Amino acid sequence: MVTFLPTRPGRLADVPSFTRAIGGAESNVACALAAAGHRTRWVSRVGADGFGDHLVAAVAAYGVDTTAVRRDPTRPTGVYFRTATDRATDAHEVVYYRAGSAASAMSPGTVPREDVAGGRVLHLSGITAALSDGCLALARALTARGPGRPLVSFDVNYRPGLWRDADPAVLLGLARGADLVFVGEDEAEAAWGLRGASAIRAALPEPAAVVVKHGGRGATAFSREGDGAGPPPARGTAPSAPPPRDAVTFVPAPRVDVVAPVGAGDAFAAGYLSAALRGRPAGQRLRHGHLMAAAALTVPGDLGAPPAAAHADRLARLDDAAWERLHLGPGWTRTGEDQEVRTP
């Protein structure tokens, strides 16, 4: 969607003007991964309008392949407006204009299988599944286990406003079909009544990896051999029954001077996937997730420039004591004199 960011804090009724940006769970992940040096493709639908032109051009500018984005001649591109306040507070407002949008009209019939089958990882979001019956059918088709599919990464992304007329247990079913799942501890409790990381993992036994995010406290990964975005299974083979035991890894989040608390979840998924695609171990995957999230948290919009790979790798390899003292502020992804990474 096209995102409109307020030019100053305040209620939507009082903000006089907005600046235009882009936003959207899956496109955010694609842009962040492309900026980090990975080959990515965004599969979606936008309107045959000016906002659609802007979205496709802006996403492509990050290096994302947009050739699988279809233009809908009869439906508009979705847009939304938000305030500058924290999403977790009562002062936060967000207004979506995406009912009847081009993206909400996606379905298994509008997305050719070849558009989503060529990569090592297919990343999906629960937000798309909530947009319409057709979008939910598409999400179910893409998370159905079977031979030849890529590794499926699924970010639950529970938004209560999107599930007022539907059962969010649907998201649990979609997550169980994935190979790698990202879910916030708070959203799992709100959507499914599950409390604690272990209970979440018990409810999601099928995925090879489940990453439970604890907000500013950190994240826990439950992972089995061959988990999340390493070398994929051989084409034409169905996954075997998973072994019963997990490796459990917790990594605390660094301290971050937050500019705007949006886009962090998508950025975390991108950082984790980037490290996984490069064969990093679970602890470093979580650290890269935290670092990419910090890049988003320290800018006003949904997307922050990721740190250079060598810079991120250096920080991800810090010893535990140095990592826990890490403090990241605006501008930290840049190198040079203005760098605001403070380590002992």
Coordinates of all heavy atoms in Angstrom, one line a residue, residues 1 6 15 32 34-35 47 76 86 89 95 100 115 125 138-139 168 180-181 186 194-195 221 252 266 285 294 344:
M1 N 0.8 -1.2 0.0 CA 0.0 0.0 0.0 C 0.9 1.2 0.0 O 2.0 1.2 0.4 CB -0.9 0.0 1.2 CG -1.9 -1.1 1.3 SD -2.9 -0.9 2.8 CE -1.7 -1.3 4.0
P6 N 2.5 11.2 9.0 CA 2.2 12.6 9.5 C 3.4 13.4 9.5 O 4.5 13.0 9.8 CB 1.6 12.4 10.9 CG 2.2 11.1 11.3 CD 2.3 10.2 10.1
V15 N -3.6 16.6 12.3 CA -2.4 16.7 11.4 C -2.7 17.3 10.1 O -3.6 16.9 9.4 CB -1.8 15.3 11.2 CG1 -0.7 15.3 10.2 CG2 -1.4 14.6 12.5
A32 N 13.7 -5.0 2.2 CA 14.8 -5.0 3.1 C 15.8 -6.1 2.7 O 17.0 -5.9 2.8 CB 14.3 -5.3 4.5
A34 N 16.3 -7.2 -0.4 CA 17.0 -6.7 -1.6 C 18.1 -5.7 -1.2 O 19.2 -5.7 -1.7 CB 16.0 -6.1 -2.6
A35 N 17.8 -4.8 -0.3 CA 18.7 -3.8 0.2 C 19.9 -4.4 0.8 O 21.0 -3.9 0.8 CB 18.1 -2.8 1.1
G47 N -3.5 -1.2 -8.4 CA -4.4 -0.6 -9.4 C -3.6 -0.1 -10.6 O -2.4 0.2 -10.5
P76 N -8.7 0.0 -7.1 CA -7.7 0.9 -6.8 C -6.5 0.3 -6.0 O -6.7 -0.8 -5.4 CB -8.4 2.0 -6.0 CG -9.5 1.2 -5.3 CD -9.9 0.2 -6.3
D86 N 3.1 5.5 19.2 CA 3.3 4.1 19.3 C 2.1 3.3 19.0 O 1.0 3.6 19.6 CB 3.9 3.8 20.6 CG 4.5 2.4 20.8 OD1 4.0 1.5 20.1 OD2 5.4 2.3 21.6
T89 N -0.1 2.2 22.1 CA -0.7 3.1 23.0 C -2.1 3.5 22.4 O -2.4 3.3 21.2 CB 0.0 4.4 23.1 OG1 0.0 5.2 21.9 CG2 1.5 4.2 23.5
V95 N -5.7 4.4 9.7 CA -6.9 4.3 8.9 C -6.5 3.7 7.6 O -5.7 4.2 6.8 CB -7.6 5.6 8.7 CG1 -8.8 5.5 7.8 CG2 -8.0 6.3 10.0
G100 N -11.9 -3.5 -1.2 CA -12.1 -3.5 -2.6 C -10.9 -3.1 -3.4 O -11.0 -2.8 -4.6
D115 N 5.0 -17.8 -10.6 CA 5.4 -16.6 -10.0 C 5.9 -16.8 -8.6 O 6.7 -16.0 -8.1 CB 4.2 -15.6 -9.9 CG 3.9 -14.9 -11.2 OD1 4.7 -15.2 -12.2 OD2 2.9 -14.2 -11.3
S125 N 2.3 -13.5 4.7 CA 1.9 -12.7 6.0 C 0.4 -13.0 6.2 O -0.4 -13.1 5.3 CB 2.1 -11.2 5.8 OG 1.4 -10.5 6.7
L138 N -5.9 -18.2 -1.3 CA -4.5 -18.1 -1.9 C -3.5 -18.5 -0.8 O -2.6 -19.3 -1.0 CB -4.2 -16.7 -2.4 CG -2.8 -16.5 -2.9 CD1 -2.4 -17.4 -4.1 CD2 -2.6 -15.0 -3.3
A139 N -3.6 -18.0 0.4 CA -2.7 -18.3 1.5 C -2.8 -19.8 1.9 O -1.8 -20.4 2.1 CB -3.0 -17.5 2.7
P168 N -9.6 -15.8 14.2 CA -8.1 -15.7 14.0 C -7.5 -17.1 14.2 O -6.3 -17.2 13.9 CB -7.7 -14.7 15.1 CG -8.7 -14.7 16.1 CD -10.0 -15.0 15.4
L180 N 8.8 -22.1 8.5 CA 9.3 -21.1 9.4 C 8.2 -20.1 9.8 O 7.6 -19.6 8.9 CB 10.5 -20.4 8.7 CG 11.1 -19.1 9.4 CD1 11.6 -19.4 10.8 CD2 12.1 -18.5 8.5
V181 N 8.0 -19.9 11.1 CA 7.0 -19.0 11.5 C 7.5 -17.9 12.4 O 8.3 -18.2 13.3 CB 5.9 -19.8 12.3 CG1 4.8 -18.9 12.9 CG2 5.2 -20.9 11.4
D186 N 2.8 -11.5 22.3 CA 1.5 -10.8 22.6 C 0.4 -11.1 21.6 O -0.8 -11.3 22.0 CB 1.8 -9.3 22.6 CG 2.4 -8.7 21.3 OD1 2.9 -9.5 20.5 OD2 2.4 -7.5 21.1
L194 N -2.8 -18.3 23.8 CA -1.6 -19.0 24.2 C -0.6 -18.1 24.9 O -0.4 -17.0 24.5 CB -0.8 -19.5 22.9 CG -1.6 -20.5 22.0 CD1 -0.9 -20.8 20.8 CD2 -1.9 -21.8 22.8
R195 N -0.1 -18.6 26.0 CA 0.8 -17.8 26.9 C 2.1 -18.4 27.0 O 2.3 -19.6 27.4 CB 0.2 -17.6 28.3 CG -1.1 -16.8 28.3 CD -1.5 -16.5 29.8 NE -2.7 -15.7 29.8 CZ -3.3 -15.3 30.9 NH1 -2.7 -15.6 32.1 NH2 -4.4 -14.5 30.9
A221 N 14.0 -18.6 19.4 CA 13.9 -19.5 18.2 C 13.9 -21.0 18.7 O 14.7 -21.4 19.5 CB 15.0 -19.3 17.3
P252 N 18.5 -11.5 23.5 CA 17.9 -10.3 23.9 C 18.1 -9.2 22.8 O 19.0 -9.3 22.0 CB 18.7 -9.9 25.2 CG 20.0 -10.5 25.0 CD 19.8 -11.8 24.3
D266 N 8.5 -6.7 10.3 CA 8.9 -7.1 8.9 C 10.4 -7.1 8.8 O 11.0 -7.9 8.1 CB 8.3 -6.1 7.9 CG 6.7 -6.1 8.0 OD1 6.1 -7.1 8.3 OD2 6.2 -5.0 7.7
R285 N 21.2 -15.6 13.5 CA 19.9 -15.2 12.8 C 19.1 -14.3 13.6 O 18.5 -13.3 13.1 CB 19.2 -16.5 12.5 CG 19.9 -17.4 11.5 CD 19.1 -18.7 11.2 NE 19.9 -19.7 10.6 CZ 19.4 -20.8 10.0 NH1 18.1 -21.1 10.1 NH2 20.2 -21.7 9.4
A294 N 16.1 -2.8 14.3 CA 16.6 -1.5 14.8 C 16.8 -0.5 13.7 O 16.6 0.7 13.9 CB 18.0 -1.7 15.5
P344 N 31.4 -1.1 24.2 CA 32.6 -0.9 25.0 C 33.8 -1.0 24.2 O 33.9 -1.8 23.3 CB 32.4 -1.9 26.1 CG 31.3 -2.7 25.8 CD 30.6 -2.2 24.6

